[in-house]
Amino acid sequence: VASYRASGVSADAAACITYNGTRNVNNSHMLNCELRLSDEMTSWFGSIINFGCLLGALSGGPVCDYFGKKLAMIMALGLYVAGWLCCSLAPSQAFDTVHGGGVEATDMATVVWLLLGSRMLIGVGIGLVCTSVSPYQTELAPTNIRGLVGTSFQISIVLGLLAAYSMGALVPNWRILSYLMLGCGVAGLVLTPIVPESPVWLVHKGWCEKARTNLLL
């Protein structure tokens, strides 16, 4: 859930430029140094994910009721994969070394739409996850461990944040980090179809026999 934090943008443009105004090659691996985002774009990149989370959370209830919590989780993972793919594919900007490290803006519109789109998609996925995973866990868990299972969702968020920031500190390049996050989403997208559907949702849909079968798995 918290993996979206892993490739945050440095808003400090000074880290990308040396004292004489040329490009700082030592920090070329940083997202802001490679793509040369404006301050306004940096702010949008950091904040638009919250709008996505809001949209995902507001739509999560109806989506879970209509499609089921299992399919809602698969949808969320699909959004994760699409979002990280957009981020990974953002084209690098070409630096003009002749005129003091300026940047060509020919691909800037593509960069902007891919980055903002990626954050929005990931945000919607996070909102869907928050409205589907925790109820799904409690609906399948036996009553004697239901509290423990429900708590594990929050613990997993904290551990996800720790893992994301640790990976961000260890991985030398933001694009590699994006590919790693993309791989996590793909793994979830492959494994989630294996889990059974919520028996509560199945009962609400009138599929009582299927619900009984899922409870016995």
Side-chain angles (χ1 to χ4, degrees), residues 3-217:
S3 63
Y4 72 91
R5 295 290 302 168
S7 66
V9 178
S10 172
D12 186 5
C16 308
I17 307 298
T18 61
Y19 69 94
N20 60 359
T22 60
R23 184 189 182 197
N24 187 346
V25 295
N26 294 325
N27 291 334
S28 60
H29 63 281
M30 296 172 61
L31 187 148
N32 225 12
C33 295
E34 181 179 338
L35 303 183
R36 297 301 299 270
L37 306 179
S38 65
D39 290 343
E40 182 180 2
M41 175 58 188
T42 300
S43 298
W44 274 109
F45 183 82
S47 61
I48 197 171
I49 193 170
N50 298 300
F51 293 100
C53 290
L54 177 62
L55 179 61
L58 291 175
S59 61
V63 169
C64 289
D65 288 341
Y66 188 82
F67 295 104
K69 295 177 179 65
K70 176 180 175 179
L71 189 53
M73 291 187 288
I74 294 174
M75 290 178 181
L77 287 163
L79 291 170
Y80 282 166
V81 170
W84 282 112
L85 187 62
C86 288
C87 187
S88 303
L89 295 178
S92 301
Q93 293 297 323
F95 283 85
D96 180 6
T97 56
V98 177
H99 299 92
V103 60
E104 297 177 0
T106 54
D107 288 328
M108 185 52 69
T110 303
V111 171
V112 168
W113 285 110
L114 281 175
L115 291 183
L116 293 184
S118 72
R119 298 287 281 179
M120 192 69 178
L121 289 171
I122 295 170
V124 175
I126 292 170
L128 280 176
V129 163
C130 291
T131 55
S132 59
V133 172
S134 187
Y136 175 85
Q137 289 178 314
T138 56
E139 289 173 6
L140 265 76
T143 54
N144 60 324
I145 61 169
R146 188 166 294 167
L148 176 63
V149 172
T151 305
S152 68
F153 176 67
Q154 302 298 327
I155 295 176
S156 297
I157 292 177
V158 177
L159 293 177
L161 279 167
L162 177 62
Y165 279 115
S166 298
M167 290 176 67
L170 296 174
V171 177
N173 185 284
W174 70 270
R175 202 177 292 274
I176 296 175
L177 189 59
S178 295
Y179 286 128
L180 290 174
M181 296 297 103
L182 176 62
C184 292
V186 170
L189 197 59
V190 171
L191 294 174
T192 302
I194 300 174
V195 303
E197 180 55 87
S198 164
V200 175
W201 182 79
L202 291 172
V203 169
H204 286 167
K205 293 296 181 179
W207 299 329
C208 297
E209 190 60 35
K210 179 62 176 178
R212 186 177 295 106
T213 301
N214 284 5
L215 283 173
L216 296 176
L217 291 177

